[in-house]
Amino acid sequence: MQSIYPSYLISDRFTTHTQWGLGPNNTLLNYYIHEDEGERTGQDGYVYTSAGSSAEDQSFIDSVFARLDPLIDIDFERNDNNEGTILDIYSVYSHQDWANDTAGEVRDHDTESLSYWDVFWKESNNDASLSTFEKYIIIHEIGHSLGLSHPLEQPRHPAWNSSDTVMSYNYDEATWDGWYSETDLEALQTIWGEESDFGGNGFQLIKQSLGSSSNDKIRGTRNNDDLYGEDGDDKLIGKRGDDWIYPGSSGQRGDIIKTGPGHDRVIADPNGYAIIMDFEIGKDEIDVIDLPQKLFYEFDNGWTYISDRKDNYYIEIKGEIEFFIEDRFLF
């Protein structure tokens, strides 16, 4: 049988679309799983019938991202709605634009502020159970959304089947082990970098709340956390809970912050540059007590920038945020 190589599986177009969705300096990918049944119309105008998603469906999809997270240099987090998400995942009974034998598809979309994917997989059992073939389709389509192509753009190439790459159409239940092949994972790591103690983008993964002088990746828990980035260009991910995030001073790129759900506080550092990906008005706040007395915010290309208007920028926030300022806090 002909060997298969990671380069056979990399789509520049798919990769670029996801990179556009992530934006510069961001490796946090939010996804959404649609839970309700019923007829819907996509952004492209095509009508499809959602099958909703069972607890088993959702658990399996969550497990795919949980298994990928420590392998590639992207962090995955599920959202309760599809506002600002990059992957929107739907189980469908039918789709207006599909042939009878279509089992799944990804569709890329662009809005003024976001590039994202609709990820479809066909409910073939018409019940709550998830078949092995449906798992294969889900993993296949998620692979596309993360930059994987069919092998040499020939999905039915007879040299390979699903045991060689989940991106092959030649599904073999007897040999498929329920996961991406080694070649699939090598291709994903080629695209996104390998997640390790010193990952492809130079970040040190720390499983505690206190950073170091290196470029650290610090993750919170579902509880209320205090996260300290200290020095370096860090990634601080609050996850759930009401978190206090101290990015500290930064290097050339700045600290990337994902506050997560909850009422979170980011404490700005005069020697740092914080890039906040998900500030929520009415829930989150920024403590600017250590910054200059006079601060200004301005909008540019879908981002909000906070500065002293003396060429010193301190905070960059995704979205155009109209702040309420009180007692040196931005709400």
Side-chain angles (χ1 to χ4, degrees), residues 5 7 53 78 94 111 134 162 171 199-200 202 257 263 318 325 329 331:
Y5 300 99
S7 59
S53 56
R78 180 175 170 181
S94 63
T111 67
E134 288 172 328
S162 54
Y171 171 67
I257 298 170
H263 297 270
K318 189 173 185 179
I325 304 175
F329 286 90
F331 295 87

Side-chain angles (χ1 to χ4, degrees), residues 131-134 136 161-163 170-178:
S131 71
T132 303
F133 180 69
E134 288 172 328
Y136 159 74
N161 64 24
S162 54
S163 64
N170 300 322
Y171 171 67
D172 185 350
E173 185 171 353
T175 60
W176 185 55
D177 67 359

Side-chain angles (χ1 to χ4, degrees), residues 17-296:
H17 186 73
T18 304
Q19 288 172 335
W20 285 341
L22 288 168
N25 302 317
N26 183 29
T27 60
L28 183 65
L29 189 155
N30 296 95
Y31 67 96
Y32 162 76
I33 304 173
H34 189 70
E35 299 182 27
D36 299 327
E37 293 188 62
E39 188 173 282
R40 295 174 57 85
T41 302
Q43 187 189 4
D44 52 13
Y46 287 105
V47 176
Y48 58 92
T49 304
S50 168
S53 56
S54 67
E56 183 182 1
D57 297 340
Q58 296 175 54
S59 177
F60 177 73
I61 294 168
D62 287 337
S63 75
V64 172
F65 292 114
R67 291 180 69 180
L68 283 173
D69 201 310
L71 299 177
I72 61 177
D73 200 30
I74 293 183
D75 301 303
F76 300 98
E77 186 167 293
R78 180 175 170 181
N79 279 21
D80 295 331
N81 58 64
N82 62 356
E83 292 295 324
T85 48
I86 297 175
L87 304 186
D88 299 339
I89 303 172
Y90 301 89
S91 170
V92 299
Y93 292 123
S94 63
H95 192 291
Q96 180 185 357
D97 196 37
W98 282 9
N100 290 334
D101 61 349
T102 302
E105 184 184 21
V106 291
R107 294 200 169 207
D108 57 311
H109 301 293
D110 294 287
T111 67
E112 290 184 1
S113 59
L114 182 68
S115 297
Y116 69 98
W117 295 98
D118 281 339
V119 180
F120 296 107
W121 60 279
K122 189 173 185 178
E123 169 62 59
S124 57
N125 286 343
N126 294 323
D127 59 32
S129 65
L130 191 62
S131 71
T132 303
F133 180 69
E134 288 172 328
K135 292 179 180 179
Y136 159 74
I137 295 300
I138 291 169
I139 290 178
H140 178 105
E141 300 305 337
I142 289 174
H144 278 318
S145 70
L146 295 177
L148 297 185
S149 67
H150 301 132
L152 295 178
E153 299 295 353
Q154 300 177 55
R156 302 189 189 279
H157 196 297
W160 308 297
N161 64 24
S162 54
S163 64
D164 302 297
T165 170
V166 75
M167 305 313 294
S168 170
Y169 279 2
N170 300 322
Y171 171 67
D172 185 350
E173 185 171 353
T175 60
W176 185 55
D177 67 359
W179 187 234
Y180 293 102
S181 71
E182 289 187 12
T183 308
D184 294 331
L185 293 174
E186 287 177 21
L188 287 170
Q189 289 173 338
T190 299
I191 296 169
W192 301 109
E194 183 176 352
E195 184 84 283
S196 64
D197 285 345
F198 293 92
N201 289 338
F203 289 90
Q204 178 184 5
L205 178 61
I206 291 188
K207 296 182 179 178
Q208 58 182 0
S209 59
L210 180 63
S212 68
S213 59
S214 300
N215 298 338
D216 305 313
K217 181 180 291 184
I218 304 173
R219 293 178 182 151
T221 67
R222 293 181 177 271
N223 301 314
N224 302 333
D225 302 306
D226 290 344
L227 306 180
Y228 296 85
E230 301 293 339
D231 298 328
D233 294 324
D234 307 312
K235 299 177 186 174
L236 300 106
I237 303 168
K239 291 192 176 287
R240 299 189 182 275
D242 299 335
D243 307 313
W244 284 31
I245 300 174
Y246 302 80
S249 60
S250 60
Q252 295 182 344
R253 294 186 293 186
D255 299 310
I256 300 170
I257 298 170
K258 170 71 173 177
T259 60
H263 297 270
D264 305 304
R265 177 179 293 180
V266 176
I267 293 84
D269 191 298
N271 298 311
Y273 187 74
I275 304 168
I276 304 175
M277 304 304 301
D278 62 341
F279 187 88
E280 292 190 57
I281 290 289
K283 293 179 64 177
D284 300 329
E285 61 187 29
I286 304 173
D287 181 339
V288 295
I289 194 169
D290 291 328
L291 299 187
Q293 188 70 27
K294 288 188 177 181
L295 292 173
F296 304 88

